[in-house]
Amino acid sequence: MDKTYWVTAVAVVCFVFQVNSAEKFICTVSRNGDQTTYTIPDDSRALDVDAVHECDFSWINGTNFTIADNSGHIPPVLNSSINSLITSKCVEGIVIKQQCVSKTTGMIDYTANCVVTCTEKDFSHGEEGGLSKGWIVVIAVTAVLVVLGGLIFLGYKIYRKSYFSHCGGRYLFVKVPNNHPKPAEV
């Protein structure tokens, strides 16, 4: 085979890999009250990439649904940009995907997984005035005891009424005369 063919083949392969190269970068997560901030360092892209003008970005949640991109965002997102995402609650499984144009290498895809563990408290949105689990348990146990006590009392009343229903449910004290002779004394 001809040397030009190999040079052309190598050039095409190099170009394809440069145009579609994928880079990973670091996502940091910080929390302040109910808000969670996911951040990508501004200097994480190639030096010849103008991130603001030459990159498309998507912030994707754990169910693979885009919650923010170049055109805007949806709740629970409060604010978004190519470098940060601020949400009103903790969201697990956030992935940032960016596709940028490099002046020297062509198209570069960047991705990062933003790792955070959200607790059950995070899903309550910190609502004020709500009942805690402890109070709900106390109220439930008290309600069960009141109902059980009521059933026991009702059962006692029904039993008592059926057992003492003679004479219209009244207690009668009758003195019975003693007509029996006394035993003889020996």
Side-chain angles (χ1 to χ4, degrees), residues 9-82:
V10 169
V12 168
V13 168
C14 289
F15 178 75
V16 167
F17 281 113
Q18 284 182 344
V19 169
N20 294 319
S21 65
E23 301 287 330
K24 290 204 175 266
F25 46 56
I26 306 291
C27 176
T28 56
V29 181
S30 62
R31 298 177 61 194
N32 183 10
D34 291 338
Q35 290 186 356
T36 306
T37 303
Y38 308 84
T39 308
I40 303 299
D42 194 32
D43 61 352
S44 59
R45 289 177 257 342
L47 295 175
D48 64 341
V49 171
D50 179 6
V52 175
H53 298 101
E54 297 179 7
C55 291
D56 290 325
F57 69 91
S58 296
W59 293 92
I60 302 165
N61 67 9
T63 60
N64 207 24
F65 185 78
T66 300
I67 57 175
D69 60 17
N70 294 63
S71 61
H73 58 267
I74 61 171
V77 177
L78 300 174
N79 195 2
S80 65
S81 71
I82 194 163

Side-chain angles (χ1 to χ4, degrees), residues 123-155:
F123 295 111
S124 71
H125 306 288
E127 295 172 3
E128 295 292 325
L131 292 175
S132 69
K133 281 186 176 180
W135 280 109
I136 292 172
V137 170
V138 168
I139 291 169
V141 168
T142 303
V144 167
L145 290 176
V146 167
V147 169
L148 188 59
L151 289 174
I152 290 172
F153 180 74
L154 185 64

Side-chain angles (χ1 to χ4, degrees), residues 151-168:
L151 289 174
I152 290 172
F153 180 74
L154 185 64
Y156 173 74
K157 287 296 227 176
I158 291 172
Y159 168 76
R160 187 171 167 212
K161 185 173 182 175
S162 67
Y163 187 76
F164 294 109
S165 64
H166 312 300
C167 302

